[in-house]
């Protein structure tokens, strides 16, 4: 076990000790002074800072961006993009320095135009049959639900167009990790749900380790010390297994909502090690698209392009 791996293991152990001491202090009179409760938390923070030193150093002098294919097809919007800030998710841990989140935003189908009315024949009765609803407009396609401050608190994953979308191999490679046993939870894109996620759920998941944070995930070895990681996969959706060689564009799994996630979305990153505890992020760019910034829409697998989309008030996916 490397020093960095041992530091991350001790980091989680310290947080477990801290939470246990807090519960003990609340439940009964503990056999130790109150200030001692905060020692494990301080040690955990120090270990996290020490473990992230290499990643912070690498970010100050990044290697050239690796060009790969986009991991999805269709129209998507970028969130938490390294084109706007580094580290893109606010931390270097788990190889996330240059990670990006993307959410599906299909173009709404055009509103059907009303057919010209034929002149009524003398004595003819008006048409009272079933037709279009009020306003005469029927919009196709599933739109991404907006962030709500109070209600509904949660939504089911089927309401999000990203859920179940195919995830594609960004290059030829070999599967070195694949997991899909964790459940897909309800959305966290409301005020109360987001508070619960940030104050309680995220802390518990962090203590559980990388799997608790990224949920079901898949790692590809692209060669030359470069690994691609897809996070938050849909439970039971894997189409490949560890050791299998894949080709660029091959379907690997489906987008889900497992792990530390506010809604179904794709979390993608390149890194220098398959172990998320010790991995350092690697810059990347998508062939034919580049690196979309926050709020930019792009289309993959067709006429590639990017453009900003209006602010819908939706919270950024985690």
């Amino acid at each position: 076990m490397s020093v960095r791996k041992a530091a991350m293991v001790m980091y989680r152990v310290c947080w477990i000790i801290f939470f246990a001491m807090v519960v003990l202090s609340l439940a009964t009179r503990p056999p130790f002074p109150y200030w001692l409760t905060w020692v494990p938390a301080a040690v955990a923070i120090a270990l996290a800072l020490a473990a992230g030193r290499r990643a912070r150093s690498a970010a100050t002098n990044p290697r050239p961006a690796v060009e790969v294919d986009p991991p999805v097809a269709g129209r998507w919007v970028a969130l938490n993009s390294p084109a706007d800030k580094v580290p893109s998710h606010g931390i270097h841990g788990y190889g996330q320095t240059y990670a990006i989140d993307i959410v599906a935003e299909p173009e709404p189908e055009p509103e059907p135009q009303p057919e010209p009315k034929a002149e009524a024949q003398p004595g003819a009765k008006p048409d009272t049959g079933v037709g279009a609803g009020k306003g005469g407009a029927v919009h196709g396609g599933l739109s991404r639900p907006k962030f709500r401050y109070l209600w509904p608190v949660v939504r089911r994953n089927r309401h999000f167009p990203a859920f179940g979308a195919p995830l594609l191999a960004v290059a030829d490679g070999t599967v070195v990790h694949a997991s899909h046993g964790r459940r897909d939870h309800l959305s966290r894109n409301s005020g109360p749900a987001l508070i619960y996620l940030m104050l309680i759920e995220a802390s518990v998941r962090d203590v559980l380790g990388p799997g608790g944070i990224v949920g079901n995930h898949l790692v590809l070895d692209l060669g030359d010390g470069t690994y691609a990681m897809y996070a938050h996969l849909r439970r039971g959706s894997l189409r490949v297994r560890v050791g299998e060689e894949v080709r660029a564009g091959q379907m690997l799994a489906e987008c889900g909502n497992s792990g530390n996630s506010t809604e179904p979305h794709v979390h993608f990153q390149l890194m220098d090690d398959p172990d998320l505890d010790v991995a350092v992020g690697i810059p990347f760019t998508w062939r034919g698209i580049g690196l979309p910034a926050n709020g930019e829409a792009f289309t993959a697998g067709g006429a590639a392009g990017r453009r900003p989309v209006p602010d819908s008030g939706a919270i950024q996916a985690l």
Side-chain angles (χ1 to χ4, degrees):
M1 182 184 294
S2 67
V3 174
R4 293 179 64 217
K5 180 70 173 180
M8 290 304 296
V9 172
M10 286 303 301
Y11 162 82
R12 289 189 280 272
V13 170
C14 286
W15 278 124
I16 293 173
I17 294 173
F18 168 73
F19 290 134
M21 294 176 73
V22 169
V23 171
L24 184 61
S25 299
L26 296 175
T28 183
R29 185 173 182 178
F32 50 81
Y34 177 75
W35 63 266
L36 195 61
T37 305
W38 298 96
V39 171
V43 173
I45 294 172
L47 287 170
L49 292 173
R53 185 179 304 164
R54 178 168 169 256
R56 293 192 298 271
S57 176
T60 60
N61 187 26
R63 55 186 283 186
V66 177
E67 186 180 57
V68 293
D69 291 336
V72 294
R75 185 175 184 272
W76 296 71
V77 172
L79 303 174
N80 301 319
S81 171
D84 291 273
K85 68 172 185 177
V86 175
S88 57
H89 286 58
I91 62 172
H92 294 281
Y94 305 127
Q96 297 183 95
T97 302
Y98 302 98
I100 192 171
D101 291 329
I102 55 175
V103 291
E105 283 278 17
E107 289 277 12
E109 293 185 2
E111 182 176 334
Q113 297 297 318
E115 295 182 1
K117 294 182 179 180
E119 291 187 9
Q121 297 297 323
K125 294 182 179 180
D127 183 7
T128 57
V130 177
K134 185 177 181 180
V138 178
H139 294 282
L142 183 65
S143 298
R144 176 184 173 224
K146 295 181 179 180
F147 176 80
R148 299 297 183 185
Y149 288 99
L150 291 176
W151 191 264
V153 176
V154 296
R155 293 182 175 89
R156 295 189 180 278
N157 292 314
R158 58 183 171 83
H159 294 296
F160 295 84
F163 189 68
L167 302 183
L168 313 175
V170 296
D172 296 347
T174 304
V175 180
V176 294
H177 177 87
S179 63
H180 63 165
R182 298 176 184 268
R183 70 180 182 87
D184 295 285
H185 55 72
L186 299 174
S187 74
R188 307 284 190 259
N189 67 334
S190 71
L194 186 62
I195 291 173
Y196 161 74
L197 173 67
M198 301 302 291
L199 297 183
I200 300 175
E201 184 177 357
S203 298
V204 174
R205 291 187 180 280
D206 190 37
V207 170
L208 295 176
I213 295 294
V214 301
N216 301 320
H217 61 290
L218 183 145
V219 179
L220 293 182
D221 182 355
L222 306 184
D224 297 325
T226 302
Y227 299 83
M229 196 272 286
Y230 306 69
H232 313 307
L233 309 184
R234 184 178 184 180
R235 185 177 188 176
S237 70
L238 277 176
R239 304 294 180 89
V240 294
R241 61 183 183 277
V242 173
E244 182 175 343
E245 294 185 358
V246 299
R247 306 292 293 179
Q250 178 178 336
M251 182 175 175
L252 305 174
E254 295 176 10
C255 174
N257 195 33
S258 58
N260 198 57
S261 171
T262 55
E263 66 178 85
H265 72 284
V266 178
H267 173 108
F268 175 82
Q269 66 189 50
L270 293 187
M271 51 195 185
D272 67 353
D273 195 287
D275 187 342
L276 294 174
D277 268 336
V278 302
V280 171
I282 295 175
F284 69 90
T285 182
W286 285 329
R287 189 171 291 111
I289 294 173
L291 185 60
N294 287 344
E296 279 194 309
F298 64 92
T299 301
R306 299 180 352 203
R307 65 180 179 85
V309 296
D311 182 7
S312 64
I315 196 73
Q316 292 192 350
L318 298 177

